[in-house]
């Protein structure tokens, strides 16, 4: 297996699929950090039926993980054992149901959802434009920005459980807290229904432009980064704590704390995932020593060390 991913799932044990199943698939090209190892198997299902049938027939002992745009994630250098599921174009559709309600595929980006809402005259979901991920990812983690969270607009989420069972969960079933849901491990979010409010498309576009300009001014968008690294502790801003601890610009090899926004880690070129994660842990140690506050990772860290 490439990049040290543990070879434990034989091709002969995998169920047949209509989509694409790739052994030893490098994940670094699919991740914003451009680092990390391979997926033991990468599955890109043809549709929901393909995904559900595959998971139902797959040995329950094989771990399964969903992958969106790879923004809020560190994949460790030894790769990801089991199956990584990536939802492609068949899951990237957005349609208006009625009134101010949109049904969105789990592979649709925040930009696509917010743009479709604008075209339909639906306000209130502009903030999704600023979340660098897909519906599946930000529904799972209750993604948010600019004072709003997914829980403020979500009606229901369509999921496929690790067992292959398909379910629709209402907002109350997701157990949302700050950047967290109670979705079970191995469950894949294949779609979601969002509800906004009536709005003027021009005003919605103006709000999206404001958000885009604010992000451009404050965040290192054109860098190899994973987005916001740590959750904001109660009563604090993570970036301010990191700055107070003297970590702005801190480096470990080619991994660096952004000078522009202290809650972003950067890969300046050849940083390994181990470099990036170790830098994050060094930041946590320094912040704890300086302020007494323990930062919690917001970025998901998955896979095995090399």
């Amino acid at each position: 297996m490439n990049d040290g991913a543990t070879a434990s799932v034989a091709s002969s044990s995998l169920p047949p699929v209509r989509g694409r199943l790739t052994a030893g698939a490098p994940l670094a090209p699919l991740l914003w950090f451009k680092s990390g190892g391979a997926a033991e198997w990468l599955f890109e299902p043809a549709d929901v039926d393909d995904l559900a049938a595959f998971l139902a027939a797959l040995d329950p002992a094989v771990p399964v993980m969903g992958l969106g745009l790879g923004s809020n994630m560190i994949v460790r250098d030894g790769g990801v054992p089991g199956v990584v599921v990536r939802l492609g174009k068949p899951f990237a559709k957005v349609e208006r149901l009625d009134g101010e309600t949109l049904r969105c595929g789990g592979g649709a980006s925040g930009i696509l959802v917010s743009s479709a809402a604008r075209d339909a005259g639906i306000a209130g979901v502009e903030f999704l434009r600023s979340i660098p991920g897909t519906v599946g990812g930000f529904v799972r983690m209750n993604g948010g920005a600019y004072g709003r969270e997914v829980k403020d607009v979500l009606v229901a989420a369509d999921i496929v459980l690790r067992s292959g069972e398909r379910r629709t969960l209402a907002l109350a079933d997701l157990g949302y807290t700050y950047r967290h849901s109670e979705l079970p491990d191995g469950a894949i979010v294949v779609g979601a229904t969002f509800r906004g409010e009536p709005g003027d498309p021009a005003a919605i576009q103006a709000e999206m432009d404001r958000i885009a300009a604010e992000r451009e001014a404050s965040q290192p968008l054109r860098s190899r980064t994973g987005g916001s690294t740590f959750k904001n502790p109660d009563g604090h801003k993570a970036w301010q704590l990191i700055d107070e601890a003297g970590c702005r610009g801190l480096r470990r090899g080619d991994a660096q704390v952004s000078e522009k926004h202290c809650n972003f880690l950067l890969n300046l070129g050849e940083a390994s995932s181990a470099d990036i994660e170790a830098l994050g842990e060094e930041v946590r140690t320094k912040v704890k020593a300086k302020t007494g506050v323990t930062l919690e990772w917001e970025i998901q860290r998955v896979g095995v060390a090399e």
Side-chain angles (χ1 to χ4, degrees), residues 81-171:
V83 178
V84 174
V85 176
R86 189 167 187 249
L87 305 182
K89 286 184 179 179
F91 296 85
K93 298 179 177 67
V94 177
E95 60 177 338
R96 185 178 191 174
L97 295 181
D98 51 47
E100 283 66 58
T101 305
L102 291 172
R103 176 179 287 144
C104 309
S109 69
I111 290 177
L112 178 61
V113 175
S114 58
S115 296
R118 174 203 61 207
D119 295 345
I122 300 172
V125 297
E126 295 89 344
F127 74 100
L128 294 178
R129 190 215 176 283
S130 66
I131 301 178
T134 58
V135 167
F138 53 69
V139 165
R140 172 172 281 281
M141 69 172 290
N142 189 25
Y146 300 97
R148 304 211 81 192
E149 297 175 300
V150 166
K151 71 177 180 63
D152 298 326
V153 295
L154 184 76
V155 176
D158 301 314
I159 69 169
V160 179
L161 294 172
R162 173 61 185 82
S163 64
E165 180 186 351
R166 295 164 68 164
R167 283 192 190 169
T168 297
L169 301 181
L171 172 63

Side-chain angles (χ1 to χ4, degrees), residues 20 50 62 83 92 143 198 209 211 274:
R20 189 174 174 188
D50 192 28
V62 176
V83 178
D209 291 344
I211 288 171

Side-chain angles (χ1 to χ4, degrees), residues 2 24 27 33 41 51 71 92 98 107 110-111 144 199 213 286 290 295:
N2 295 351
L27 293 178
F33 272 125
W41 292 95
L51 174 62
S71 56
D98 51 47
I111 290 177
K286 289 180 179 293
K290 175 71 174 180
L295 291 177

